[in-house]
Amino acid sequence: MTAANTSAPQFVILFGAPGAGKGTQATLLAEQRGWVQLSTGDMLRKAVAEQTPLGKQAESIMAAGQLVPDDIITNVVTAHIETNPLQLGYLLDGFPRTVEQAQGLQEWLEKKGYKVNALIVLDVDEQKLIDRLLGRRACANCGKGYHTSTGVPKACTQCGEEQITARKDDNITTIQERLQIYHKQTTPVLDYYASRLAVAHIPADTTIEEVKDAIAAVLPL
Ligand code: AMP
């Protein structure tokens, strides 16, 4: 094993079911700290929109709410970090999602002399997750997020775009599949890390601000 690297970037995993708020909190944390947010879901959606070979392969898998193969996604993440080196830290949002992905990440980190510094689990009640996902909308141009419960404007307040849409996989059938996969394939990742680092559980049924403060309390600057 390579010795720990003192100037190594920090790696923080934001963990939780679909709709738990990983993306929202990762964006806030990344802005606050000048870190890089690595959302595998966003990377895959971009690949689908651009119809790259990865996007073509991932499109039907994502529409069905299933997982893209482990080796592919692990390579996407590590290759992305390799091409954006020398960052202060990375917020892993939606990855690793299986024990195999966690092992693949661990092998890559060890080769580099890096490690996962923290794992934060956002805990949200299942019915609340479903409500959040069903009401989630985003601007088709800039990606700004909205929710039907708080009102969706006619045009995006950030860029003026009029198309504000739901994600293709935010329908009840796919949501249920994604939640089942989360319980079966993703939660075992917590056992994988339990012996390696302190796993922090944050009640994330509350507001964005409250969750942000709770994360800051366990992840001081
Ligand atoms: P998300 O935006 O994190 O909800 O991810 C949307 C979809 O992208 C998931 O339902 C999967 O189909 C795919 N995906 C995202 N991250 C991963 C991952 N780490 N492993 C496999 N598939 C993924």
Side-chain angles (χ1 to χ4, degrees), residues 168-214:
K168 260 192 185 165
D169 56 353
D170 281 346
N171 61 77
I172 192 63
T173 312
T174 312
I175 289 170
Q176 274 160 351
E177 176 70 10
R178 285 154 69 201
L179 289 173
Q180 264 196 21
I181 288 186
Y182 174 73
H183 292 304
K184 273 201 207 135
Q185 298 190 50
T186 305
T187 54
V189 170
L190 293 178
D191 296 331
Y192 175 85
Y193 283 110
S195 60
R196 292 177 164 81
L197 49 95
V199 171
H201 282 264
I202 306 264
D205 274 336
T206 53
T207 64
I208 292 174
E209 271 309 303
E210 283 171 301
V211 177
K212 183 179 159 218
D213 292 346

Side-chain angles (χ1 to χ4, degrees), residues 81-116:
I81 299 171
E82 303 252 12
T83 53
N84 292 275
L86 305 175
Q87 300 291 336
L88 293 172
Y90 295 89
L91 288 152
L92 303 183
D93 156 14
F95 176 88
R97 238 170 166 108
T98 64
V99 171
E100 289 72 18
Q101 291 179 19
Q103 286 165 337
L105 173 67
Q106 186 65 21
E107 277 168 30
W108 182 85
L109 290 171
E110 280 179 11
K111 270 194 238 147
K112 297 278 171 189
Y114 301 163
K115 62 176 184 175
V116 174

